[in-house]
Every structure is written in structure tokens, then in C-alpha cells.
Amino acid sequence: QVQLVESGGGLVQAGGSLRLSCANSGRTFSRYAMGWFRQAPGKEREFVAAITWSGGSTYYGDSVKGRFTISRDNTKNTVYLQMNSLKPEDTAVYYCAASVQHPMVLNSYDHWGQGTQVTVSS
């Protein structure tokens, strides 16, 4: 079973950093590709980053490339999103999600966390 809980969101000034965490309480975490998505008010959900089950490959949305880094620790059943050089347009609710398929099959994510708010002030 996969139960995802995000943490680490908050309020930060533009140019600052935050690290989000997503913990899975299930025992099969290492079998899943993991992704981060975000949704701002009035906007559609946007792909942010994804990582294969092994952590060997990572993928990023164009708007965050070079600023965000996704990683995972399968011994801790946790995936991370390090966010640097934050911009006001990064403000959104951030969700982690799990998929048994390739991490870039974006419609395959069927386990979702409850989300964590990230607010970047200008």
C-alpha cells in the first residue's frame, strides 16, 4: 500500500530555498517511480520533476530546470525536492505522487499525497 505525506512547504522570499519531503508509509516504496507536481490557484496541475525507482534517472519541467533537484532515499522511503532560486511564480500547492510505470508517463500516477503549500514572496 502507498500512503504519501508531503512536508517542508512554507513561506520564503524570492531567491530563497526550500526542501520538500514526501514520505511513504508503505513497504513497497522502491518499486515506484515518484513525481512532484504543483497546482497554483486558477491553473492546471503542472509537472515539476520525476525520478525512477532506482534514482538513476531524473526529469524536470522546463520552468524548474536548473533550479530544482529531485532525489530519493529508498532506505527512508522518502523522495525530496530541493528548490533553489525560488520565484513568485513557483507559488503553488506541491504534490508528490507514485507510479508503477515510467516516471514520464504522467497520466500513470495513481497515488497522491495531500499536498503542501509553497508561497514565494517578491
Side-chain angles (χ1 to χ4, degrees):
Q1 189 72 354
V2 179
Q3 291 183 323
L4 304 174
V5 179
E6 301 96 335
S7 61
L11 174 63
V12 63
Q13 289 188 333
S17 298
L18 282 175
R19 189 176 82 154
L20 305 183
S21 299
C22 173
N24 173 30
S25 59
R27 296 186 295 174
T28 59
F29 179 73
S30 62
R31 299 180 184 178
Y32 290 88
M34 298 297 297
W36 286 97
F37 298 78
R38 66 187 183 187
Q39 188 164 21
K43 295 187 176 182
E44 292 189 354
R45 187 170 62 200
E46 177 188 10
F47 167 73
V48 175
I51 189 167
T52 54
W53 66 270
S54 67
S57 295
T58 57
Y59 308 86
Y60 297 94
D62 288 342
S63 61
V64 306
K65 281 180 182 177
R67 299 188 299 123
F68 290 11
T69 302
I70 188 171
S71 62
R72 68 189 295 162
D73 185 341
N74 287 342
T75 66
K76 296 182 179 180
N77 284 2
T78 301
V79 63
Y80 304 98
L81 185 68
Q82 178 67 45
M83 305 186 295
N84 298 330
S85 302
L86 283 162
K87 305 175 181 179
E89 51 263 43
D90 294 318
T91 295
V93 178
Y94 284 70
Y95 299 90
C96 71
S99 170
V100 295
Q101 297 190 39
H102 188 277
M104 288 306 289
V105 180
L106 299 183
N107 63 1
S108 69
Y109 287 89
D110 52 6
H111 300 280
W112 293 82
Q114 82 291 347
T116 186
Q117 177 70 47
V118 171
T119 303
V120 184
S121 63
S122 57

